[in-house]
Amino acid sequence: MAELKVWGISLCCVAAACAVVQFLAPDNGVGRLLDVLCGTVLLFSVLSPLITVDWENVLSWEVTQLETEQSAHLQQHLQQQLHQPIQEAVADAGAAALASYGLTAQKIEAVTDIDERDGIYIREIAVYLNEQQAVRRVAVKQILEQRFAVDVTVREE
């Protein structure tokens, strides 16, 4: 805000100086030359905030902000695109692993996440069992932890 005030004061001083010069200048060729000179100085005074702006920082900030927004959108889109196939693959592989031991589950869900290198990994698997299946919860947990090598949470529905 202080910079705007300084710019306004400078603009007023330049305009007043140009008015004095034009008033004192003769009406011949020298006067016209001073008119052009005063107009040029006044134009540059008006445009000085645009001339002194550090455009590199302004543009890099906008580009960085745009890249951040695009990156977040891309990560969200990627997560949506891969979430369903990962869920299906984990559910199928988990059901097959349990079936080989004669066990079943109501539902098997994978909790996915994105690491610092933008890799998608399975953080945890949640297994839902009904009351009859809950008796074998320890066996289900051990089988799936061995199969997927991630933490398995067993829940009752």
Side-chain angles (χ1 to χ4, degrees), residues 1-58:
M1 193 67 181
E3 294 151 352
L4 184 62
K5 185 177 179 181
V6 169
W7 174 72
I9 292 171
S10 301
L11 193 59
C12 289
C13 290
V14 167
C18 283
V20 169
V21 167
Q22 286 179 341
F23 179 73
L24 296 176
D27 290 334
N28 60 12
V30 175
R32 287 190 214 121
L33 181 63
L34 288 174
D35 285 346
V36 170
L37 184 64
C38 282
T40 305
V41 169
L42 191 58
L43 177 67
F44 280 115
S45 296
V46 169
L47 296 177
S48 67
L50 296 176
I51 294 170
T52 59
V53 169
D54 187 6
W55 289 105
E56 186 174 319
N57 286 342
V58 171

Side-chain angles (χ1 to χ4, degrees), residues 98 136-148 152 154:
L98 292 175
R136 304 260 184 172
R137 71 182 309 134
V138 174
V140 168
K141 180 176 174 66
Q142 288 177 343
I143 292 167
L144 294 179
E145 282 181 345
Q146 181 181 5
R147 171 67 175 93
F148 293 108
V152 175
V154 180

Side-chain angles (χ1 to χ4, degrees), residues 48-100:
S48 67
L50 296 176
I51 294 170
T52 59
V53 169
D54 187 6
W55 289 105
E56 186 174 319
N57 286 342
V58 171
L59 294 176
S60 69
W61 179 79
E62 289 175 355
V63 168
T64 303
Q65 185 177 6
L66 182 62
E67 286 175 349
T68 303
E69 290 172 2
Q70 287 177 342
S71 177
H73 178 70
L74 183 60
Q75 281 185 341
Q76 181 183 10
H77 185 66
L78 183 63
Q79 181 78 3
Q80 289 173 350
Q81 289 288 327
L82 293 177
H83 184 72
Q84 185 64 29
I86 289 172
Q87 288 292 339
E88 291 173 2
V90 168
D92 292 345
L98 292 175
S100 67

Side-chain angles (χ1 to χ4, degrees), residues 101-103 129 131-141 154:
Y101 290 94
L103 300 171
L129 305 174
E131 290 179 15
Q132 291 84 16
Q133 297 164 332
V135 177
R136 304 260 184 172
R137 71 182 309 134
V138 174
V140 168
K141 180 176 174 66
V154 180

Side-chain angles (χ1 to χ4, degrees), residues 86 90 109-113 120-125 148-150:
I86 289 172
V90 168
E109 289 182 344
V111 178
T112 58
D113 206 353
I120 297 176
Y121 67 97
I122 299 172
R123 184 173 34 132
E124 177 186 11
I125 294 177
F148 293 108
V150 296

